[in-house]
Amino acid sequence: MATGRATVSASPLEMRAVRAVRSAAPTTVIALGVFAAVRGAGVLVLALGSWWAGRDPLRVLGQSWDSVWYLGIAANGYGRTVMSPSPLTGTGFVQSDYAFFPLYPALIRIVSEILPGGLVPAGLLVAWVSAAVAAVGIYRVGEQVIGPRAGLLLVGLWAALPHAVVLTLVYTEPLLAAFAAWALYALLRGRWLWAAGLAVLAGLTRPTGLAVAAAVSAMALYTILTRRSRAPEVWLAGLLAPVGWAAYVVAVGTKVQDPFGGYFAVQRNWGSRFDFGGGALRSAEQVLTGGHVPLATTVTVVLLAVAGLLAMLLVLDRTPLPLLAYTAILMVITYGGAGFFESKPRFLLPAFPLLLPLAAVMARARPRTAVVVTAVVAGLGYGYGLYLLLVARVPL
């Protein structure tokens, strides 16, 4: 009897999947390299600037503004409150750490228990890995919508933004951007349950994670109404997407004995509420009429104006509906919220689709021109990052 080693041939579908992975891997690695180069140089510039200013670079990176709150939650759980004077009345009011969503502090705590070094290195590691994952997701979205070359430029521009310094701090924007990018990619590919699961995680990351959930639910509703879809995954995705955000809001409300309004009361004590853009317009008016305002406020007005113009280009460019829905909702939340005006460009960092028109234009230019433009934007961003963290006296 003849004997021999059995062979199993791969199916055509499996072979196509393998070829797709192999062909995508090099450009994905390049995209990650572009992001690492731009932001790595930013970290180096910030470290050198901190040393020159007599500041500890690790402290600047890991313990600036809201980072302290996230680290406190990771170390001791919730329950910290701070009495602060109201900018309107001068009387004291309570700022509670319940304003901060739980996923990022939980990840910091888990990583710190696995790896040595403490909470600050753990927070930086989570943020940096999240930013890298976000960069790959942003590239994949860009590749799908405007092509591989433009996708690489999209990643470079996103990493070079003036407020992109936040991507290397102990902040939640990198984590939210990662969930948003991959949720949008899942929507573009028709993977509804993946999109819903990532939206749930985004909703547990920060308040503006609601934009991811709302985009998934809106697209599910649109699909059901326009295509008469009865696919269970579409219905389930639409229902599940807001669960993470809603669960935390109700949990905080229950904790303060007001299930549906308690979380928003906590936010109001921070001076944060939705006022349909009234506060933002007043700040912009003060800058435009020559009022005495910090440079950071002036730059914020300019950046928000640019974001608005880019949003118009995004609409005119017939960008896919999932990207339009997500960006529009995030911009409404950002522009319509009162308080922390100088932080609004940071809130818009996860709104990477705003850069799609610029990336598409740059992709048609000469490679040298695209590199020079990205380098100039990055250089300006490095300088502004130094200003925000080492000079400005406003919250980031």
Side-chain angles (χ1 to χ4, degrees):
M1 180 182 295
T3 60
R5 182 176 299 173
T7 60
V8 179
S9 60
S11 69
L13 181 60
E14 291 171 335
M15 293 299 294
R16 285 197 298 270
V18 170
R19 285 195 295 269
V21 170
R22 287 176 177 172
S23 63
T27 51
T28 299
V29 171
I30 294 171
L32 190 57
V34 168
F35 176 79
V38 175
R39 285 285 13 115
V43 171
L44 179 60
V45 169
L46 184 57
L48 292 175
S50 300
W51 277 320
W52 183 81
R55 301 273 301 275
D56 178 7
L58 188 62
R59 187 175 181 85
V60 171
L61 286 167
Q63 293 179 281
S64 294
W65 299 106
D66 288 354
S67 300
V68 177
W69 288 90
Y70 294 122
L71 294 172
I73 296 168
N76 306 307
Y78 284 94
R80 179 189 175 200
T81 57
V82 173
M83 294 294 296
S84 300
S86 167
L88 299 177
T89 65
T91 59
F93 63 95
V94 177
Q95 292 179 328
S96 168
D97 57 8
Y98 285 126
F100 299 91
F101 279 51
L103 184 57
Y104 183 50
L107 292 175
I108 294 175
R109 178 65 176 265
I110 292 170
V111 172
S112 69
E113 291 179 350
I114 297 173
L115 300 177
L119 292 174
V120 172
L124 289 173
L125 179 62
V126 173
W128 292 2
V129 170
S130 299
V133 172
V136 175
I138 289 169
Y139 168 73
R140 299 297 286 173
V141 171
E143 179 190 44
Q144 180 96 359
V145 176
I146 53 178
R149 183 181 176 189
L152 291 174
L153 291 168
L154 178 65
V155 171
L157 287 171
W158 183 67
L161 288 173
H163 276 70
V165 65
V166 173
L167 299 174
T168 48
L169 304 181
V170 178
Y171 267 68
T172 53
E173 274 71 21
L175 188 60
L176 177 60
F179 292 138
W182 285 104
L184 292 173
Y185 181 70
L187 283 177
L188 292 175
R189 303 287 290 181
R191 297 169 182 169
W192 288 98
L193 295 183
W194 275 103
L198 291 165
V200 170
L201 294 174
L204 290 169
T205 300
R206 58 174 293 104
T208 49
L210 177 62
V212 184
V216 174
S217 296
M219 290 311 303
L221 180 61
Y222 175 82
T223 301
I224 291 168
L225 293 178
T226 60
R227 301 179 185 175
R228 300 292 188 263
S229 175
R230 295 183 179 180
E233 61 268 21
V234 177
W235 289 79
L236 191 58
L239 294 173
L240 285 180
V243 165
W245 184 88
Y248 183 69
V249 168
V250 172
V252 171
T254 302
K255 188 72 176 180
V256 300
Q257 300 180 344
D258 183 2
F260 300 107
Y263 172 78
F264 303 103
V266 169
Q267 285 283 11
R268 284 194 296 273
N269 279 336
W270 277 86
S272 180
R273 68 188 187 282
F274 193 83
D275 68 348
F276 299 94
L281 288 175
R282 285 191 293 272
S283 296
E285 181 185 14
Q286 188 177 7
V287 172
L288 297 175
T289 56
H292 179 68
V293 293
L295 174 61
T297 304
T298 304
V299 174
T300 299
V301 170
V302 174
L303 292 176
L304 291 175
V306 170
L309 292 174
L310 290 175
M312 294 173 62
L313 288 175
L314 202 66
V315 174
L316 295 174
D317 206 33
R318 297 184 180 180
T319 301
L321 280 177
L323 305 186
L324 285 176
Y326 164 71
T327 306
I329 294 165
L330 186 56
M331 292 189 72
V332 167
I333 295 172
T334 301
Y335 280 94
F340 303 104
F341 184 75
E342 291 81 4
S343 298
K344 290 186 183 297
R346 167 169 71 86
F347 299 158
L348 284 176
L349 262 181
F352 66 89
L354 287 172
L355 299 172
L356 283 168
L358 287 182
V361 170
M362 288 174 61
R364 294 193 289 268
R366 293 179 179 180
R368 181 181 299 178
T369 302
V371 170
V372 169
V373 170
T374 303
V376 170
V377 173
L380 294 173
Y382 298 157
Y384 191 58
L386 285 173
Y387 168 75
L388 286 174
L389 289 171
L390 302 177
V391 179
R393 296 182 179 274
V394 294
L396 182 62

